[in-house]
């Protein structure tokens, strides 16, 4: 009886924790999106890409958490309808998924585009606004979203026609058609973005090695936030691979829970907080939003 009570209390605490984390994710990302849309000084490619990143964080979180929380808190039987399951699969895989080592990630494409933006800003500062024009900015964002969505739509259309083998599935097996689409998708959604990231930072490193110490520090400071986001995403990918590929390896239940929580909680929460703390323009805009009376200009007599 005592163990049942402990398990019940643990479940409630776990549910409350996820509820507050979901609220924090929604508020922090909406704040970043709202500030970037409102402040004209932030209508630059770097911040537009950040806005796209935050939109994707909201997209992935809203696809998962409401259903998860309602099932845990309101439903006696933790079941999800097949239609809702398909919707969640589509949203989560296009958001940022590495299950079975097949990336179909808007997140990864966004990070690749952001690395290219930093490369142009550091290596071609005088031509930055010409290269990263509004048209180019919108095109890169649209390309990142459309490639991921179209690629997984094709893969999903092949998978969804397969017969459901049961209510509980330990592993998903792919047909030959799935494998072919997976190989094509891997090239589009892993190789291309990764090549862009490696190329961008190789060029940035080359410029930094030829520049003065002050210029190098300034260049690297503009890349720090993006590198932290990239590291955050990579850690999430690693945990997901461990979860999906080594699910039979014995490990403490708490550790498995932590691994499963990292991607849906830490990734969308760390990015907006980190960018909000590190980017000076974002911080000034936040202060202006929170303390608007400090930024009101006095009326001249």
């Amino acid at each position: 009886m005592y163990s049942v009570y402990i398990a019940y209390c643990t479940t409630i605490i776990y549910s409350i924790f996820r509820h507050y984390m979901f609220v924090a994710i929604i508020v922090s990302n909406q704040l970043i999106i709202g500030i970037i849309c409102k402040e004209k000084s932030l209508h630059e490619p770097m911040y537009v890409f950040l806005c796209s990143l935050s939109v994707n964080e909201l997209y992935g979180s809203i696809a998962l958490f409401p259903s998860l929380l309602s099932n845990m808190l309101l439903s006696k039987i933790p079941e999800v309808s097949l239609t809702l399951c398909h919707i969640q699969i589509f949203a989560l895989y296009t958001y940022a998924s590495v299950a079975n080592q097949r990336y179909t990630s808007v997140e990864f494409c966004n990070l690749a585009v952001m690395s290219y933006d930093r490369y142009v800003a550091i290596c071609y500062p005088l031509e930055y606004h010409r290269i990263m024009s509004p048209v180019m900015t919108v095109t890169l964002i649209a390309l990142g979203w459309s490639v991921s969505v179209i690629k997984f739509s094709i893969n999903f259309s092949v998978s969804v026609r397969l017969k459901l083998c049961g209510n509980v599935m330990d592993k998903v097996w792919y047909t030959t058609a799935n494998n072919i689409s997976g190989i094509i998708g891997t090239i589009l959604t892993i190789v291309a973005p990764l090549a862009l990231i490696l190329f961008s930072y190789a060029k940035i490193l080359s410029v930094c090695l030829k520049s003065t110490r002050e210029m190098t520090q300034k260049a690297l400071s503009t890349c720090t936030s993006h590198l932290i986001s990239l590291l955050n995403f990579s850690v999430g990918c690693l945990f997901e691979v461990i979860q999906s590929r080594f699910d039979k390896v014995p490990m403490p239940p708490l550790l498995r829970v932590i691994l499963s929580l990292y991607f849906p909680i830490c990734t969308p929460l760390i990015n907006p907080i980190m960018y909000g703390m590190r980017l000076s323009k974002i911080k000034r805009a936040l202060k202006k939003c929170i303390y608007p009376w400090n930024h009101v200009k006095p009326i001249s007599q």
Side-chain angles (χ1 to χ4, degrees):
M1 185 68 182
Y2 179 74
S3 60
V4 173
Y5 176 76
I6 293 296
Y8 176 77
C9 291
T10 303
T11 302
I12 294 297
I13 294 172
Y14 178 52
S15 301
I16 293 173
F17 170 76
R18 287 206 286 194
H19 174 78
Y20 280 110
M21 289 298 100
F22 175 61
V23 172
I25 289 169
I26 296 297
V27 171
S28 58
N29 282 284
Q30 281 188 334
L31 193 59
I32 291 292
I33 295 169
I35 286 174
I36 292 174
C37 292
K38 181 180 178 181
E39 289 294 322
K40 291 184 178 180
S41 62
L42 299 179
H43 293 176
E44 300 177 4
M46 175 182 177
Y47 301 102
V48 176
F49 294 139
L50 174 57
C51 184
S52 174
L53 190 69
S54 291
V55 169
N56 186 52
E57 310 290 12
L58 287 178
Y59 166 65
S61 299
I62 292 174
L64 173 66
F65 278 96
S67 174
L68 185 64
L69 293 173
S70 64
N71 280 332
M72 292 190 66
L73 297 177
L74 303 177
S75 177
K76 294 181 180 180
I77 303 176
E79 292 182 349
V80 178
S81 66
L82 183 60
T83 301
L84 182 57
C85 182
H86 285 159
I87 293 173
Q88 288 182 336
I89 288 172
F90 184 88
L92 292 173
Y93 269 64
T94 50
Y95 155 64
S97 178
V98 293
N100 294 316
Q101 295 181 348
R102 280 180 170 83
Y103 295 67
T104 54
S105 172
V106 174
E107 187 93 351
F108 196 37
C109 291
N110 272 328
L111 291 171
V113 168
M114 293 173 78
S115 69
Y116 176 73
D117 173 71
R118 292 299 83 208
Y119 153 69
V120 176
I122 294 171
C123 298
Y124 301 97
L126 299 180
E127 301 180 60
Y128 176 74
H129 291 289
R130 181 185 64 81
I131 298 174
M132 300 302 297
S133 63
V135 174
M136 176 61 76
T137 301
V138 173
T139 300
L140 289 174
I141 292 174
L143 187 63
W145 280 80
S146 60
V147 166
S148 297
V149 171
I150 292 172
K151 183 268 170 185
F152 185 69
S153 296
I154 297 172
N155 196 30
F156 184 71
S157 65
V158 174
S159 300
V160 76
R161 66 178 173 78
L162 300 176
K163 185 179 179 181
L164 184 65
C165 58
N167 294 326
V168 179
M169 294 184 292
D170 294 326
K171 188 167 291 186
V172 177
W173 296 96
Y174 291 86
T175 63
T176 302
N178 290 59
N179 287 330
I180 294 172
S181 65
I183 293 171
I184 297 173
T186 298
I187 295 173
L188 291 175
T189 55
I190 297 180
V191 177
L194 183 60
L196 183 59
I197 292 173
L198 294 176
F199 169 80
S200 299
Y201 277 103
K203 291 294 184 180
I204 290 172
L205 181 61
S206 177
V207 169
C208 290
L209 292 175
K210 299 175 184 178
S211 303
T212 62
R213 184 176 180 179
E214 291 74 19
M215 289 293 294
T216 299
Q217 289 178 345
K218 184 178 179 181
L220 292 178
S221 66
T222 65
C223 298
T224 303
S225 299
H226 178 262
L227 288 172
I228 294 174
S229 291
L230 195 58
L231 178 62
N232 183 30
F233 178 77
S234 300
V235 170
C237 289
L238 176 63
F239 287 170
E240 283 297 304
V241 169
I242 292 174
Q243 283 283 98
S244 62
R245 302 296 291 182
F246 303 101
D247 54 335
K248 301 302 181 182
V249 175
M251 64 176 67
L254 180 60
L255 178 59
R256 191 170 290 277
V257 169
I258 293 173
L259 294 180
S260 65
L261 283 177
Y262 190 93
F263 224 112
I265 291 180
C266 295
T267 301
L269 185 59
I270 289 176
N271 284 341
I273 293 176
M274 182 266 302
Y275 276 104
M277 292 176 61
R278 289 197 58 84
L279 299 182
S280 57
K281 284 190 176 182
I282 295 286
K283 287 194 291 186
R284 285 197 295 268
L286 279 170
K287 290 179 181 179
K288 185 178 179 180
C289 180
I290 297 173
Y291 307 108
W293 54 85
N294 291 340
H295 300 272
V296 177
K297 294 182 180 179
I299 301 175
S300 57
Q301 298 294 333

